[in-house]
Amino acid sequence: MKKYEITIGIECHVQLATKTKLFSEVDNDARGKSPNSCVSPVDYALPGMLPRLNKAAVEMAVTAGLALNSTINLKSRFDRKHYFYPDLPKGYQITQLYSPIIGPGYVELPSGTKVRIEHAHLEEDAGKLTHFDTYSLVDLNRAGTPLIEIVSMPDIHSAEDARDYCKELWRLMTYSGVCLGDLYNGNMRFDVNISLAEPGAEKLGTRAEIKNLNSFRSVEHAVAYEYERQSKLLDRGEKVKQETRGFSDATGKTTSQRSKEESQDYRYMPEPDLPPLNLPESLVEEKKKSLPLLPSDYRRMFGGLIPENILEILLDYPSLMQKLAEVDKKFATKVANLFSSVLLAEENASLLNDPLPSKDQLEDLISMQENGDLSSTAVKSVFLKFFDKEMHFKSTETIAKELNLIQENDTDTLEKIVEDVVSDPACEKAVADFKSGSEKVLGFLVGQVMKASHGKANPATVNKILREKLK
Amino acid sequence: MKIANKMTKAVDLVQEALEKVEKYKDYNIFTFVNAENALKKAAIIDAKIKKGEPVGRLAGVPYALKDNFLSPEGETTASAKILTGFTSPVTATSVKKLEDEGAIMIGRTNLDAFAHGSSTENSYFGVTKNAKDKTRVAGGSSGGSAVAVALDIVQFATGTDTGGSIRQPASFNGVFGLKPTYGAISRYGVVAMASSTDCVGFFTREASDLDLLMSITAGRDPKDQTTLPDFYESSEGDKKDFPGQRAGYDRALARDTRDDGLARRVSREVLSYRIGVIKDFKSDILDKKVKELSAKGFEIKEVSLPTLKYALAVYYVTVPAELSSNLSRHDGIRYGFRSKDANTLSDLYEHTRAEGFMPENKRRIMIGNFVLSSGFYDAYFMKAAKARTLIINEYEKAFRDVDFLLTPVSPNPAFKIGEKVNDPLAMYLEDVMSVPANLAGLPALAFPAGETDNGLPVGLQLLGPRRSDAELIKFAEENL
Amino acid sequence: MKITREDIDHLAELSNFSLEDAEKESLKGDLENIIQYISELSNLDTDGISPTFQVFEMENVWRDDEILAQDADRESLLALTKEEEDHQIKIPKVL
C-alpha cells in the first residue's frame, strides 16, 4: 500500500470538428495548410470586429454533454477571460465561466471507477507561436477553433485511472462525432491536477497542475512522476507548492512553470458582443435521438460475445466498432478476432486507413469458414484481400475462388487422392510405419495428400479418410 | 419628380464641400480629407445620371465620417496614436450602406481618442473648436462630426454615442443628433468603445434627414449578432431621398418640393402624445420648450426616476470595464503603431500601449481593470449591472405614463477649451444627463432648442421607448 | 477608498502599459476621485435584482456552419503588421 493517497482532477480541451471556426466563417481544419491561411478579420482581431457564433459548435457541445451523461444547461452565455499573449489577438479569450452550457455528469471507466464531471464549457482556442533564437512567429490558423473544456471532479486516484479516464474521454468524444480525436495534432489536450494526502486525511493536499499533456501515456507518466516528486517532498516534511508545471516526454519529468503568486487575474466579464443562449428543449431531444452508439453501448452489446480484453482494444477504433455493430451478432466473435489478430497486427497497420470490408463480405467470410469452405489460413488471406483496391468490391466467394482457396470437401474426390497417395511407392515406408503403430507419420501422409490436392483438401476430412483406409 | 435644366452635379457638391473644408481648417475638424477619391466618385455618379442610369438615394451627397469607422479610405485612427498607420482592409456595414446609396465621404472627423471624452480635447490630433465660438470646445466625443454639419461643410455626418457622444456635441453646436435604439445599426467595423452601450448614429441639420439615414442604415447584420431584427419603418417609406441636396435635381426647385412634402404629409394624431419631464433634469431652455409644447396642446407630465442619480456611477463602472477589455487588442503586434523601443515582447506591449494611448484612455483602462479585478467584481461591476436593471425598470414604468421624455442633453453649454481637461471627474459629470439612455438602450434625439444669452446653442433631447426611433424623428420634424 | 502607489502599479500591470513616475502620481489622485464617485453605488439597494449585461431580448443568435469568403484575405491582413516572415507575424522573442 502506498504511503499517500493521490487525488487527481483533469481538465480536458476538446477541439470540435466543425467546418468553420467558433466565431468566423473560415475553415476550421488547418492541418497541412499554410500559416495564417485560415484567418478572418475577426480572428485577426481588427478593431470593430465582432464574434459570429457558429450554431454547429453549440450543437456539438450539446452532443458532447449528452455523451458525458451531463445535464444540458438550456440557458448559458459567454464570458471574456483576459490576458496578454501574442497567440490571443483580442487580448481575451471568449469562454464560459459563469453559465457553462454543459452541467454535471459522469464518465464510467472500464475498471468501474466513476469520474464525475463538474461541468464543461464552450470556448475558443488560441493561435500558435513558433520560437526562434531572437524572435517568435505568430500563426493564427488555430485561433478561434471551437473547444469544449471538460472539467472533472477530483475522483481519480491512480495513474492508471487517470490514463483510462483520458482514454475514455477520447472515446466518448470521437464516438459521439464531435472530435476527430487526432492527438498528434492537439485535438485533445489534458491539464492534470495532482495532490497527495495521508490516507484518511480530511483535506486534500496542495495541488500541482501539469499543463498541456497530449497523450494518454504522458498523462500516466506525469502522474506517476508527480507522485514520486510530491511524496519525497512530504517525506522530508516540505510543502508542495501550488503551481503550474510542464511535462517533458523526453525526460519523463515535470518542471515548474508558474507559481500561484504569479498567477494571473483574468478579470472575467460577461461577453457583451454575443446574445445569451436559451436552447429550445427540442434541440436537446433531437441530439439525444441522433446520438451515435457510445463505448458503454458497445460494451452492453458485445459483453459475453467478445472477451473483455479484446473488446477494450477494439474500442480504441470507432470505425471497427461501428462495423462490428453492423454484422450479425452470431459472427461478431469471429469478426472481432479477425480485427484484433489480423487487422491490428503491426504489419497491417497501414490498412486501418483504408475502407473496411462490407458487412456482407465479413459475414460470408465467417460462414465459409464455418462451412469448411475456407481454412483458417485462407480466411486470413481473403480478409486481407478485402483491403486491396482491386478486390474491395468483389464478393467473398469471388475472391476466394480467384485465389483458389476454396477447400475440397467432396469425400469421393478426396478418397481418390488418398488412394493415389497410399499406393504411391514413395509412401510405401510411411504406410508401413503407420500400420505398425507410428502415429507421427500420419502428418507426413496428410501433407502428401494436401500437396496432391494443391492445398485445397480439407485437412480434417483427409485425416479421417486416411485413418479409415489404413485401418 | 420634374428635373430642371440646371441639374445639381455631384462634382459640384463635392467641390463645394472640399472648399469649405479648406475654409474652416482652423477648426481642426478633419483627421483626413478624402479629396481625390471623393471627386472620382462624384464624376462616376454624374456620368451615371447623364446616361440615365439609376443612382442611390444619397447620390453625390457629401458626408463626414467620424474617424472610428473602418473603411479603406484614409487611416482609421479613432484619433489615437496607437492606430496611426492603420488603413482598414474592411468597411463598416453602416459605411457600406451609405456608400451603396451614393453618399460621398469628404473626410474623417476628429474625436476624443477612442471616443473617451466629452470635448474632443483627448484627441491625439488636438482639439476641435466649437462652430459658434472658437474659444470653446466642440463637445465630444464626436466633436468633429458635429462641427462639420453645423458649419454646413457636409449634409450629414456619422457619429457614435456610448454615453452622449453624438447628442452632447450636437447640442453644443446647434444641430440634430440621433442616438438610435441599441442594436438598430450594425456596430461591425466601428472601433469599439463599450459594446453594450455603443450606438452608431448621425448629425444633420434637418430632423427629416435622420429618417432617411435610419431607413438606409438600420437593420439586422449577420456580422453583428447584437443587431435587432429589422424594425425601423420610415415615416415616408422608401420614396424619400435628399431632395435639394443630392445630385440630379435642381436644388432651388427641390427645396420647394421638400416643403410641400412636409406640409402634405398625413400627420398622425400627434396631440395624443404625452410628454414627460424628469424631476431632477431641468433647465431654463427646457422650461421654455415645455411651455411651448403645452401651448400646442400636448399633455406634459412630471415623472420621477429616483435611480437615475446613480446612472453616471453605473456608467463609469460598466463602460470602463468593457472598454478596457475592448482595447486589449491594441498591442502593436498586428496593426497600427508599434513602439520603437520594443526589443522584448513585454517592452513591445508596455511601450506601445504607454506611448499609443492618451492619458484619458489610460485612466479608463485602469478603472476598468479595477472594477473587474478579483475582489472588486461583485462590489463594482456586478453592483452596477444590477443598478442598470433598476434604471431600465424605472424607464419602463415611466413609459407606461408618457410617450416621450424631454430632458436637457448636458448640464451646461459648450465650455472653454482647457476648462475641464485637468479634472476628469468634472468632465465625466458632463455626461450625467446623456448616459441613462445608453444604459437602457433607448433612442434619444438631440435637437437645437435655443441659445444662451451669449449666443451659444443649447439642445434638448427627446427619449422614447426602445424601437420608437421613427416616431421620435417624426415628432421632432413636426413639433420641435 | 484609498489608492496606493502599489495599486497603481498593479493596475498598470493589468493594463499592460508602463507609466512614468509623474503619470503615476496624477493617476493616483484621479483614480481615487473616480473610484470614490463610483463607490456611491454601495448606497443603492440591489438585493434580489438580477443584473443587466445587455439591453435587448434576443437569444440564440447564431449562423450556419458554412465557409464564406471574408472581408479581407491573409495578404491584406498581414500587410498591416510591422514585420512578417513566412506568412506569419514576427515579434520579439517570447521569453
Side-chain angles (χ1 to χ4, degrees):
Chain A
M1 170 139 170
K2 289 194 167 179
K3 187 166 175 196
Y4 300 102
E5 190 182 48
I6 188 167
T7 300
I8 303 162
I10 295 178
E11 290 159 23
C12 171
H13 288 92
V14 181
Q15 287 185 334
L16 298 180
T18 51
K19 271 206 250 11
T20 65
K21 290 186 178 182
L22 185 52
F23 298 121
S24 71
E25 307 82 359
V26 297
D27 198 339
N28 185 37
D29 184 4
R31 286 177 301 178
K33 296 198 174 93
S34 167
N36 289 308
S37 60
C38 304
V39 174
S40 81
V42 174
D43 310 314
Y44 198 82
L46 281 191
M49 297 296 106
L50 305 164
R52 310 192 277 257
L53 179 63
N54 181 351
K55 186 182 187 187
V58 175
E59 292 178 323
M60 282 193 190
V62 170
T63 300
L66 295 172
L68 295 168
N69 300 300
S70 282
T71 43
I72 302 302
N73 294 324
L74 297 177
K75 287 191 177 194
S76 70
R77 61 175 306 141
F78 291 93
D79 301 294
R80 293 181 180 181
K81 174 183 181 179
H82 299 89
Y83 61 95
F84 288 94
Y85 206 61
D87 64 5
L88 188 70
K90 296 189 294 297
Y92 56 83
Q93 178 195 30
I94 304 181
T95 177
Q96 297 184 307
L97 175 75
Y98 297 110
S99 329
I101 185 164
I102 300 171
Y106 66 88
V107 171
E108 202 170 339
L109 307 188
S111 67
T113 306
K114 216 172 194 184
V115 180
R116 288 168 300 158
I117 301 299
E118 208 259 7
H119 81 274
H121 58 263
L122 250 178
E123 61 183 24
E124 59 180 336
D125 211 339
K128 197 180 87 193
L129 294 182
T130 315
H131 304 294
F132 297 88
D133 275 355
T134 55
Y135 62 95
S136 302
L137 294 180
V138 188
D139 173 12
L140 299 175
N141 273 352
R142 206 184 63 183
T145 285
L147 297 176
I148 53 168
E149 182 178 338
I150 304 168
V151 182
S152 87
M153 300 288 271
D155 288 352
I156 302 164
H157 298 286
S158 72
E160 295 71 36
D161 269 359
R163 177 203 59 208
D164 287 352
Y165 169 73
C166 295
K167 204 172 198 183
E168 197 63 16
L169 280 186
W170 179 89
R171 288 171 175 172
L172 289 168
M173 295 301 110
T174 49
Y175 279 84
S176 62
V178 307
C179 180
L180 297 178
D182 180 349
L183 295 183
Y184 180 77
N185 276 301
N187 281 175
M188 286 175 78
R189 283 114 60 189
F190 307 95
D191 298 342
V192 184
N193 284 290
I194 302 160
S195 70
L196 263 52
E198 305 265 350
E202 277 185 13
K203 264 179 65 183
L204 293 180
T206 309
R207 64 171 200 270
E209 183 177 28
I210 320 303
K211 281 241 187 222
N212 238 344
L213 300 167
N214 56 12
S215 75
F216 309 134
R217 186 197 306 217
S218 31
V219 168
E220 187 178 3
H221 288 182
V223 171
Y225 179 84
E226 271 300 297
Y227 180 85
E228 294 305 319
R229 185 185 73 86
Q230 295 188 19
S231 56
K232 268 183 207 153
L233 285 172
L234 296 174
D235 283 347
R236 289 200 299 262
E238 290 174 32
K239 278 187 176 159
V240 175
K241 257 206 290 188
Q242 186 172 342
E243 61 183 352
T244 301
R245 299 177 71 83
F247 175 75
S248 154
D249 282 313
T251 63
K253 290 178 179 171
T254 67
T255 46
S256 179
Q257 287 183 329
R258 196 173 66 218
S259 71
K260 201 207 170 200
E261 293 78 69
E262 298 163 56
S263 80
Q264 281 159 299
D265 181 350
Y266 292 121
R267 290 151 290 142
Y268 284 96
M269 178 188 97
E271 167 57 86
D273 286 331
L274 288 167
L277 296 176
N278 186 4
L279 304 179
E281 198 83 61
S282 59
L283 189 151
V284 179
E285 285 309 313
E286 193 188 297
K287 292 293 145 196
K288 235 179 230 168
K289 271 189 211 134
S290 58
L291 192 65
L293 292 173
L294 299 176
S296 54
D297 299 315
Y298 287 114
R299 289 193 185 105
R300 221 170 298 131
M301 196 181 277
F302 296 115
L305 286 175
I306 301 173
E308 204 183 301
N309 59 335
I310 291 183
L311 184 58
E312 287 304 320
I313 291 170
L314 292 177
L315 276 169
D316 286 345
Y317 303 90
S319 58
L320 297 189
M321 293 311 297
Q322 279 150 15
K323 189 53 75 178
L324 265 182
E326 275 180 47
V327 302
D328 197 301
K329 287 286 158 296
K330 64 183 185 217
F331 302 121
T333 314
K334 285 195 167 137
V335 173
N337 243 321
L338 273 177
F339 283 169
S340 65
S341 64
V342 181
L343 188 52
L344 296 182
E346 207 163 322
E347 68 268 21
N348 295 326
S350 66
L351 298 182
L352 274 172
N353 302 323
D354 296 332
L356 288 173
S358 71
K359 165 185 180 328
D360 288 347
Q361 283 175 322
L362 290 168
E363 289 181 346
D364 291 349
L365 185 64
I366 306 301
S367 297
M368 287 177 78
Q369 182 181 17
E370 286 176 353
N371 294 344
D373 289 339
L374 289 174
S375 69
S376 56
T377 326
V379 164
K380 206 169 141 182
S381 309
V382 173
F383 178 72
L384 286 170
K385 283 291 166 191
F386 287 150
F387 295 88
D388 191 316
K389 274 197 186 65
E390 305 283 308
M391 302 284 189
H392 187 66
F393 294 103
K394 294 183 178 173
S395 75
T396 308
E397 203 183 334
T398 309
I399 297 172
K401 276 187 179 150
E402 281 184 21
L403 295 177
N404 219 1
L405 288 173
I406 308 258
Q407 288 192 130
E408 187 54 72
N409 285 314
D410 183 62
T411 324
D412 290 349
T413 316
L414 288 177
E415 269 182 16
K416 217 181 148 295
I417 300 175
V418 169
E419 272 164 25
D420 287 351
V421 168
V422 171
S423 53
D424 186 340
C427 294
E428 204 174 322
K429 190 174 179 300
V431 171
D433 286 352
F434 181 75
K435 282 189 171 164
S436 60
S438 167
E439 269 288 317
K440 64 182 182 193
V441 293
L442 190 66
F444 168 77
L445 291 169
V446 173
Q448 292 304 303
V449 176
M450 294 303 289
K451 207 165 144 192
S453 74
H454 305 289
K456 286 163 74 180
N458 183 333
T461 321
V462 171
N463 210 301
K464 218 171 92 195
I465 297 171
L466 265 174
R467 283 184 186 281
E468 200 80 7
K469 295 265 173 210
L470 300 178
K471 218 169 357 188
Chain B
M1 172 178 294
K2 200 170 86 183
I3 296 177
N5 297 333
K6 248 185 66 205
M7 264 192 342
T8 307
K9 283 170 79 180
V11 168
D12 295 339
L13 289 171
V14 167
Q15 197 67 58
E16 219 175 282
L18 289 172
E19 277 161 22
K20 288 184 201 159
V21 168
E22 195 54 35
K23 180 177 165 195
Y24 295 118
K25 222 171 168 168
D26 54 334
Y27 284 83
N28 195 29
I29 297 166
F30 292 95
T31 58
F32 165 77
V33 180
N34 196 29
E36 203 182 317
N37 272 337
L39 286 167
K40 243 185 246 164
K41 286 184 187 168
I44 292 169
I45 285 172
D46 286 339
K48 273 191 179 174
I49 291 171
K50 206 169 167 191
K51 279 192 268 177
E53 289 172 16
V55 290
R57 285 177 286 172
L58 297 174
V61 175
Y63 76 101
L65 188 66
K66 188 177 180 182
D67 194 22
N68 56 355
F69 286 72
L70 273 63
S71 86
E73 290 180 305
E75 290 179 9
T76 302
T77 69
S79 291
K81 184 178 180 183
I82 205 163
L83 271 177
T84 50
F86 170 64
T87 302
S88 172
V90 314
T91 303
T93 300
S94 50
V95 174
K96 187 171 184 308
K97 285 179 167 182
L98 293 171
E99 303 262 332
D100 285 351
E101 291 286 350
I104 296 178
M105 193 262 274
I106 294 297
R108 293 176 163 275
T109 60
N110 197 19
L111 61 145
D112 290 293
F114 288 112
H116 301 176
S118 311
S119 66
T120 320
E121 287 167 293
N122 296 327
S123 165
Y124 177 61
F125 303 110
V127 66
T128 296
K129 289 154 188 162
N130 189 282
K132 295 283 148 59
D133 178 349
K134 280 198 258 185
T135 67
R136 292 177 185 270
V137 299
S141 67
S142 319
S145 282
V147 178
V149 172
L151 292 176
D152 196 17
I153 297 172
V154 287
Q155 307 295 351
F156 72 91
T158 70
T160 55
D161 192 316
T162 304
S165 280
I166 288 177
R167 289 161 289 153
Q168 187 251 27
S171 167
F172 279 15
N173 294 284
V175 295
F176 287 89
L178 176 70
K179 177 212 108 64
T181 301
Y182 179 85
I185 302 178
S186 171
R187 292 183 291 122
Y188 175 79
V190 179
V191 179
M193 181 175 161
S195 305
S196 83
T197 63
D198 280 354
C199 286
V200 168
F202 302 99
F203 296 90
T204 61
R205 286 185 302 278
E206 304 277 353
S208 60
D209 293 346
L210 291 170
D211 178 44
L212 174 62
L213 293 170
M214 280 298 285
S215 52
I216 288 171
T217 53
R220 165 114 180 79
D221 179 9
K223 291 174 188 167
D224 175 0
Q225 294 188 337
T226 65
T227 43
L228 297 170
D230 297 356
F231 72 90
Y232 190 85
E233 268 182 53
S234 163
S235 49
E236 291 209 337
D238 288 335
K239 292 194 302 281
K240 196 156 177 181
D241 59 21
F242 255 46
Q245 294 176 53
R246 84 148 163 89
Y249 292 117
D250 180 306
R251 275 200 265 185
L253 180 70
R255 218 158 251 153
D256 297 340
T257 352
R258 180 190 186 106
D259 293 340
D260 283 354
L262 272 186
R264 270 191 283 106
R265 197 180 306 164
V266 185
S267 196
R268 103 168 221 189
E269 291 181 35
V270 286
L271 292 186
S272 68
Y273 282 121
R274 298 156 301 168
I275 313 289
V277 292
I278 298 174
K279 229 170 104 200
D280 305 309
F281 288 179
K282 294 272 184 67
S283 73
D284 294 345
I285 301 260
L286 180 82
D287 288 344
K288 234 176 82 190
K289 184 57 78 180
V290 163
K291 270 184 205 131
E292 210 179 291
L293 289 170
S294 177
K296 279 188 185 170
F298 291 103
E299 184 186 349
I300 309 286
K301 274 187 157 180
E302 189 172 280
V303 296
S304 165
L305 289 89
T307 311
L308 277 197
K309 66 169 177 279
Y310 291 100
L312 193 69
V314 171
Y315 180 85
Y316 276 98
V317 172
T318 305
V319 167
E322 292 184 19
L323 71 83
S324 70
S325 173
N326 284 333
L327 291 180
S328 303
R329 67 186 60 197
H330 301 281
D331 55 14
I333 290 179
R334 295 170 313 285
Y335 46 78
F337 167 76
R338 185 189 280 191
S339 172
K340 298 237 178 336
D341 184 7
N343 293 319
T344 67
L345 181 70
S346 63
D347 283 355
L348 170 61
Y349 278 126
E350 290 182 11
H351 296 164
T352 299
R353 289 170 63 85
E355 296 165 38
F357 286 128
M358 299 296 284
E360 180 58 21
N361 303 141
K362 291 181 195 168
R363 276 192 282 271
R364 295 194 188 199
I365 291 170
M366 289 172 83
I367 292 175
N369 281 322
F370 171 79
V371 300
L372 289 175
S373 60
S374 73
F376 296 105
Y377 180 86
D378 285 332
Y380 290 92
F381 186 80
M382 197 48 130
K383 183 83 182 176
K386 289 177 178 174
R388 193 171 178 183
T389 307
L390 292 175
I391 291 169
I392 291 168
N393 291 347
E394 285 183 5
Y395 272 118
E396 268 173 18
K397 191 163 156 272
F399 283 128
R400 284 200 285 269
D401 294 332
V402 300
D403 297 291
F404 301 128
L405 287 166
L406 187 63
T407 86
V409 173
S410 63
N412 46 257
F415 45 89
K416 291 273 188 189
I417 291 170
E419 190 182 324
K420 300 188 185 204
V421 77
N422 294 319
D423 187 350
L425 192 57
M427 193 71 94
Y428 294 179
L429 290 168
E430 271 299 300
D431 305 335
V432 69
M433 291 162 174
S434 53
V435 299
N438 299 79
L439 292 176
L442 307 175
L445 195 166
F447 59 92
E451 281 184 358
T452 60
D453 293 343
N454 51 351
L456 293 174
V458 177
L460 293 171
Q461 60 178 341
L462 196 65
L463 278 69
R466 294 178 51 232
R467 293 182 165 87
S468 67
D469 310 51
E471 281 175 81
L472 276 183
I473 294 169
K474 187 157 183 281
F475 184 89
E477 271 181 63
E478 295 173 2
N479 301 291
L480 300 173
Chain C
M1 179 164 172
K2 202 97 187 103
I3 298 295
T4 64
R5 274 294 278 266
E6 287 70 46
D7 293 331
I8 296 290
D9 287 339
H10 177 63
L11 290 174
E13 198 187 311
L14 289 177
S15 308
N16 216 2
F17 42 64
S18 53
L19 293 171
E20 309 281 329
D21 276 354
E23 252 181 316
K24 286 184 189 173
E25 208 39 56
S26 75
L27 276 165
K28 197 166 94 69
D30 292 345
L31 262 53
E32 204 164 276
N33 284 340
I34 295 163
I35 290 167
Q36 190 187 336
Y37 181 79
I38 59 178
S39 297
E40 276 178 26
L41 282 175
S42 62
N43 299 327
L44 185 66
D45 181 8
T46 54
D47 279 359
I49 303 296
S50 55
T52 296
F53 303 117
Q54 292 168 311
V55 283
F56 49 72
E57 60 291 321
M58 292 178 294
E59 293 169 333
N60 303 335
V61 182
W62 45 41
R63 61 175 173 86
D64 292 339
D65 189 20
E66 295 297 337
I67 295 173
L68 296 179
Q70 296 295 303
D71 286 355
D73 59 11
R74 171 173 70 180
E75 279 59 42
S76 57
L77 290 171
L78 289 177
L80 299 169
T81 189
K82 294 279 182 241
E83 276 188 276
E84 185 194 331
E85 187 177 301
D86 182 28
H87 300 300
Q88 299 188 64
I89 303 157
K90 194 172 173 183
I91 53 170
K93 187 176 167 59
V94 178
L95 295 174

